[in-house]
Amino acid sequence: VADAEARAREAGLEAAARIEAAEAKTAATCEELRVQLEAGEATEAALRRRSAELQAEVEELRGRCGRLEGERAEGFAVLEDVRRELFASHAECDEARGECHRLAVELAEARDRWQHGQPQLAEGRRRLRCAEEALARAQGEAAEERCARERCHKETLRATERL
């Protein structure tokens, strides 16, 4: 019974860690999207003068991708439950590469749109709103998981006291 309780407790801790990691990832993504929106608004006027600044942002994203790959490589020495987080980091890196490619394409499209006078601010706001909603959902799930974990812990303590 104690072994089953320990496994259940460890499974609960692992689930909480995964949820908290997902919450942190969503918050980071939300913040990253917010920064990108602000950068898009700030560079819209500067795009007429210096389109090379957007190239620098693309290079910065490539650097981030490289750093994520390095973090993924370091994570192989961690326990099995952290390995799951490593796979998520690898997926983020691939996503960042795709995002980098997409931003390069978006840069070319932005130059064309600038020439034709079609701003992209509405799409950036929509993406930010979606990311903030995802963050709110993840935080709610984390809170529910914490309550469930506390309830299970209390039940385990009561069951232990009865035995």
Side-chain angles (χ1 to χ4, degrees):
V1 172
D3 190 36
E5 289 175 355
R7 282 192 304 260
R9 190 177 314 119
E10 187 165 324
L13 292 174
E14 287 175 4
R18 284 191 304 271
I19 288 173
E20 289 176 6
E23 181 180 347
K25 177 182 172 186
T26 304
T29 301
C30 181
E31 183 59 29
E32 197 172 293
L33 287 172
R34 185 176 291 117
V35 168
Q36 288 178 1
L37 176 62
E38 291 172 2
E41 291 172 344
T43 57
E44 181 178 83
L47 185 62
R48 288 181 225 114
R49 295 184 317 267
R50 294 175 56 196
S51 64
E53 290 176 358
L54 290 178
Q55 285 293 12
E57 289 181 29
V58 168
E59 290 302 317
E60 182 181 327
L61 285 176
R62 286 186 180 133
R64 286 181 192 168
C65 180
R67 286 190 297 275
L68 284 174
E69 184 66 29
E71 290 174 10
R72 186 192 63 83
E74 291 173 4
F76 280 117
V78 182
L79 297 172
E80 188 62 34
D81 59 330
V82 177
R83 183 172 282 183
R84 289 185 196 104
E85 292 179 34
L86 176 64
F87 289 127
S89 174
H90 182 61
E92 284 181 44
C93 182
D94 291 342
E95 186 177 304
R97 282 187 183 130
E99 181 72 8
C100 183
H101 175 71
R102 186 192 62 75
L103 285 175
V105 170
E106 205 173 291
L107 172 61
E109 291 174 357
R111 285 180 183 154
D112 290 342
R113 283 188 214 136
W114 170 72
Q115 291 172 353
H116 296 94
Q118 298 177 1
Q120 297 179 350
L121 294 178
E123 175 63 18
R125 287 185 183 110
R126 184 194 64 78
R127 287 176 52 213
L128 176 61
R129 186 175 55 252
C130 290
E132 287 172 341
E133 289 170 0
L135 173 61
R137 284 192 301 272
Q139 287 173 336
E141 289 175 10
E144 289 176 17
E145 179 61 29
R146 282 187 204 104
C147 289
R149 188 177 61 226
E150 289 174 9
R151 194 172 43 250
C152 288
H153 180 68
K154 289 177 183 176
E155 289 177 19
T156 302
L157 290 175
R158 278 184 246 150
T160 303
E161 288 173 359
R162 283 186 222 143
L163 294 177

